[in-house]
Amino acid sequence: MKNTDRSKWKMNTRLNHPQRITPSDSNPPLLAPIYQSVKFVVSEEVGYSNQFIYSRISNPTLKQLEMSLCEIQKKQDCIVFSSGIAAISGMLLGLLKSGDHIITFRELYKPGRVFIRDMLPRFGITSSIISLNNIQSLEKSIQPGVTKVIHFESPTNPNLDIADINFIIGIARKYNIIVSMDGTFAGLHQHTEFDVDLMIQSLTKFGNGHGDVLAGSIAGKKILINQIRQMSFMLGASLDPHAAFLIERGLKTYLLRYERHCKNAQQVAEFLNTHPKVQKVFYPGLAESHSHALAKKQMKQMGAVVSFILDPKAGQIADQFCHKLKLIQFAVSLGSTESIICPTHFFFGDDLIENDKNEMGIGPYSIRLSVGLEDAEDLIDDLKEALG
Ligand SMILES: *Cc1c(COP(=O)(O)O)cnc(C)c1O
């Protein structure tokens, strides 16, 4: 602000241009302030494209979060969004144009799958949706020069399938295709050694960790992030600075929380795995799990989501079971401090054909549990009682 003589102003002017406290460089706040301002005063000393101007385009609090996310994910650049799904749709609209083709997998988180399969055709963008169980068909699905992106998730939501990341990258490189990975379930610190072009995260989950903020991010190659940025300030799914501050706060305990989440999840998965009324458990940390071998090669920690199928002979469907629990709450989402559980067929599979659902292990008896930070014994007691 330019120096002004306040004393000559009347009260409405004074109230709308309050005095400011700007601590000196030798007496800064220990925590960075939240720049809860949509606009920044434009300076005549610097070029306009090198300034903060409008928070839909950039803001210091968002920039700080983007830098932290680059650091933990070991990526060149990062852009944050108002939700994980905004990051996914922003990435696709930023990179693809009419006539392009994308390959993805049926095991994808439902809204992403629906966006690619049902919405992108409106813009002339076609897709092939294959299965992670049939990854050999990936190369056959490529239309050279037309396929621009391969987008996958690992582990997948809800049933923890693991994608063979180097296999996908190897094929994509042959045809000059961009590889985008959604690493939400594995968190921000895993898979950093893989050369995916773009890493998507729903920060709503473990990044924030407290279930009180929606946010998403894309980290990766600078040239691609720049291209997405050009689109994102027109799509307008910007993150609010206060939400960015809360994510940054969550990151301080992220590694501690993730470790404890995983320890609890392993105990809960082992309990479920030996219970006679549970037909099948999906958790990459179990030696018997379908995804264990590949997960061990790619991940150090197996995550906090445990999915399972109740034995139909035990007489209760997933919805009844989830409502019966007392400590573990029936709610969607994951990665919060509190444990939450929901049936998978209605929330994550109702757009799929019956055969796909059967092969993916989604049905009336299937359940997804996000293990929180409570004491594992209490969670196991709750599950034991509801299993009966
Ligand atoms: C939750 C989730 C998303 C979407 O994130 P939101 O922040 O809810 O928009 C995307 N991908 C995966 C794997 C998720 O679990």
Side-chain angles (χ1 to χ4, degrees):
M1 281 291 241
K2 298 177 183 84
N3 284 329
T4 36
D5 179 7
R6 304 181 61 80
S7 64
K8 68 178 203 279
W9 287 345
K10 300 190 183 62
M11 198 46 74
N12 277 310
T13 305
R14 288 192 194 195
L15 288 174
N16 283 286
H17 295 266
Q19 299 174 81
R20 296 200 176 184
I21 306 297
T22 311
S24 76
D25 284 350
S26 62
N27 174 221
L30 184 59
L31 303 186
I34 309 174
Y35 288 92
Q36 193 76 48
S37 181
V38 170
K39 297 144 288 188
F40 294 82
V41 179
V42 179
S43 154
E44 64 179 347
E45 278 128 52
V46 196
Y48 296 155
S49 54
N50 291 322
Q51 303 185 38
F52 293 109
I53 294 188
Y54 193 56
S55 284
R56 174 155 45 71
I57 301 163
S58 64
N59 169 291
T61 308
L62 303 195
K63 186 82 209 149
Q64 183 187 328
L65 175 60
E66 288 168 351
M67 284 164 61
S68 300
L69 293 168
C70 279
E71 209 163 33
I72 183 168
Q73 298 182 95
K74 303 199 172 97
K75 293 282 185 280
Q76 287 178 340
D77 202 358
C78 177
I79 176 170
V80 290
F81 289 84
S82 56
S83 70
I85 205 71
I88 295 171
S89 55
M91 180 271 288
L92 295 169
L93 294 173
L95 298 180
L96 297 170
K97 61 178 189 325
S98 176
D100 288 345
H101 174 251
I102 171 174
I103 299 174
T104 193
F105 296 86
R106 70 176 181 189
E107 290 83 6
L108 217 62
Y109 174 60
K110 181 181 139 189
R113 180 174 63 224
V114 173
F115 186 75
I116 292 171
R117 187 191 60 209
D118 302 342
M119 300 293 156
L120 285 183
R122 291 190 191 180
F123 307 100
I125 300 158
T126 55
S127 60
S128 296
I129 302 187
I130 61 174
S131 170
L132 279 177
N133 291 330
N134 187 18
I135 191 98
Q136 291 73 25
S137 68
L138 177 60
E139 190 160 7
K140 280 205 308 274
S141 308
I142 290 174
Q143 302 170 22
V146 180
T147 305
K148 295 292 164 56
V149 172
I150 298 172
H151 176 67
F152 70 99
E153 224 170 82
S154 191
T156 61
N157 185 357
N159 278 352
L160 295 304
D161 295 291
I162 304 287
D164 187 336
I165 304 173
N166 276 336
F167 180 83
I168 294 173
I169 293 175
I171 299 226
R173 293 288 173 260
K174 251 170 84 176
Y175 297 89
N176 208 13
I177 296 170
I178 297 166
V179 178
S180 144
M181 170 172 175
D182 182 337
T184 299
F185 271 42
L188 296 151
H189 63 303
Q190 303 208 74
H191 297 128
T192 55
E193 69 277 29
F194 291 94
D195 187 30
V196 294
D197 299 301
L198 297 168
M199 179 65 90
I200 293 186
Q201 295 282 345
S202 166
L203 301 170
T204 312
K205 316 294 168 56
F206 299 100
N208 166 262
H210 294 76
D212 49 12
V213 180
L214 280 163
S217 64
I218 311 172
K221 308 226 157 103
K222 209 174 199 78
I223 183 166
L224 296 175
I225 299 292
N226 259 336
Q227 197 181 332
I228 295 165
R229 229 181 254 289
Q230 298 311 312
M231 177 60 87
S232 88
F233 75 73
M234 289 178 285
L235 294 174
S238 319
L239 190 61
D240 182 77
H242 190 258
F245 172 86
L246 289 173
I247 303 283
E248 185 81 53
R249 183 167 75 167
L251 290 182
K252 294 178 183 185
T253 54
Y254 164 76
L255 290 169
L256 301 175
R257 283 186 286 104
Y258 199 88
E259 191 179 327
R260 176 64 186 263
H261 273 299
C262 293
K263 194 162 161 260
N264 277 355
Q266 182 74 34
Q267 279 179 259
V268 167
E270 281 169 14
F271 161 74
L272 290 170
N273 199 38
T274 55
H275 200 285
K277 292 189 178 169
V278 175
Q279 189 178 66
K280 183 168 181 172
V281 181
F282 303 92
Y283 184 66
L286 289 177
E288 299 88 329
S289 157
H290 69 304
S291 55
H292 182 69
L294 197 47
K296 253 183 84 175
K297 270 205 264 174
Q298 299 184 162
M299 296 160 69
K300 287 179 197 70
Q301 293 171 293
M302 299 303 175
V305 179
V306 179
S307 291
F308 57 101
I309 303 178
L310 296 171
D311 188 340
K313 289 196 291 295
Q316 56 183 347
I317 60 164
D319 301 70
Q320 291 169 318
F321 175 80
C322 292
H323 282 299
K324 217 189 230 180
L325 292 155
K326 297 193 178 97
L327 168 62
I328 303 170
Q329 298 296 309
F330 186 150
V332 296
S333 197
L334 55 113
S336 281
T337 59
E338 67 284 327
S339 294
I340 40 190
I341 198 162
C342 67
T344 57
H345 65 287
F346 175 72
F347 295 102
F348 309 112
D350 66 343
D351 65 308
L352 292 167
I353 58 167
E354 216 53 36
N355 182 56
D356 281 346
K357 275 196 277 194
N358 290 341
E359 286 182 11
M360 288 163 67
I362 296 180
Y365 298 94
S366 59
I367 292 170
R368 186 189 76 183
L369 167 63
S370 167
V371 180
L373 300 179
E374 302 94 338
D375 293 295
E377 294 75 15
D378 294 331
L379 298 173
I380 288 170
D381 282 348
D382 197 30
L383 290 163
K384 204 183 276 175
E385 199 174 313
L387 282 165

